[in-house]
Amino acid sequence: MTDSIVNILLVGDIASRRVSIRAMLEAADESFRVGTAETIGQAAARLQGGGVDLVILDSREGTAIDLGSIPVLRCLAPTLPILAVVPMLEEMDSRIADYHGASGCFVLENYDEKGIAALLRRHLARPVREDATRIPHVLIVEDEPSTAEILTRYVAWRGYRVSVVGNGREARDLLVSDPADLVITDLDMPVLDGEGLIAELQACEKRPHIIVVTGNPVSDLTWKKLRNAVVELYQKPLNLKEIGRTVERLIGISLRPVLGTPTIEAR
């Protein structure tokens, strides 16, 4: 008898490994349905759409997706099992993965199809993680994929829950069901641009804080219309440290722990 469908999100930036890992997982259990993402921005879009039961991170040192991506994924998916695939199961890798919030890590080559299915089933059967406090929500509205990726990684790395959309209309629709504490928006976008979105947000009963990022000069007339609604305006290329300080000032201090040598408490 086939178990209910399990939706797995595989995140990794090496295309050949995504193909081989996906094939192995789908062969391991006919109830596994595997979607893929090659960037954190793509992962964020998949996760905010819902329907994911488990996340697998194919980590490789020296690539864009490594163990340092775990805190970002954990902020994007605070309650889901997140497993990291590592080249070798060294003690430090295990400690770093655990420290950053992974549910576990494993070497793919150590498992056959039956073993990998059993491993994933064990993690799916564990109690769902529960957050002790509400994580502030940041909505990024940006139609340029590279900028959306940079902002997503940086803001989530600091400990906030992040959603990403490509224009003002998508932002407006998302905010109806999932209000944000802060909106970071571009101005020049299709469908509904940043100015139009900001005007609509002004009419909301509970208005989020707004930060504008733009690669184009902003005229005095445009800024006169925006300045009462916008907290800060940043020109591209972006100064992420300045944006980070503004985010913390608006919705709280950084939620990310200070990185150092992970410690293991006696149990």
Side-chain angles (χ1 to χ4, degrees), residues 15-104:
S16 59
R17 286 187 56 82
R18 290 198 307 274
V19 171
S20 61
I21 294 173
R22 179 176 186 172
M24 180 181 183
L25 294 173
E26 292 183 337
D29 191 312
E30 62 182 13
S31 67
F32 290 169
R33 299 291 184 272
V34 184
T36 62
E38 62 181 291
T39 67
I40 295 298
Q42 288 183 7
R46 291 294 305 273
L47 289 167
Q48 76 187 47
V52 175
D53 300 302
L54 181 143
V55 179
I56 294 178
L57 174 79
D58 183 33
S59 66
R60 282 295 180 273
E61 188 174 352
T63 72
I65 305 295
D66 56 17
L67 291 176
S69 303
I70 295 172
V72 182
L73 288 174
R74 178 50 70 202
C75 292
L76 293 168
T79 64
L80 294 183
I82 298 177
L83 298 178
V85 179
V86 293
M88 295 182 291
L89 195 57
E90 298 179 349
E91 180 184 1
M92 184 54 69
D93 284 343
S94 297
R95 293 172 66 191
I96 292 174
D98 180 67
Y99 178 75
H100 282 326
S103 307

Side-chain angles (χ1 to χ4, degrees), residues 14 21 39 65 70 96 98 117 149-150 156 159 171 203 216 239 247 259:
I14 301 176
I21 294 173
T39 67
I65 305 295
I70 295 172
I96 292 174
D98 180 67
E149 173 78 5
I150 290 169
N216 300 318
N239 185 322
V247 171
L259 287 180

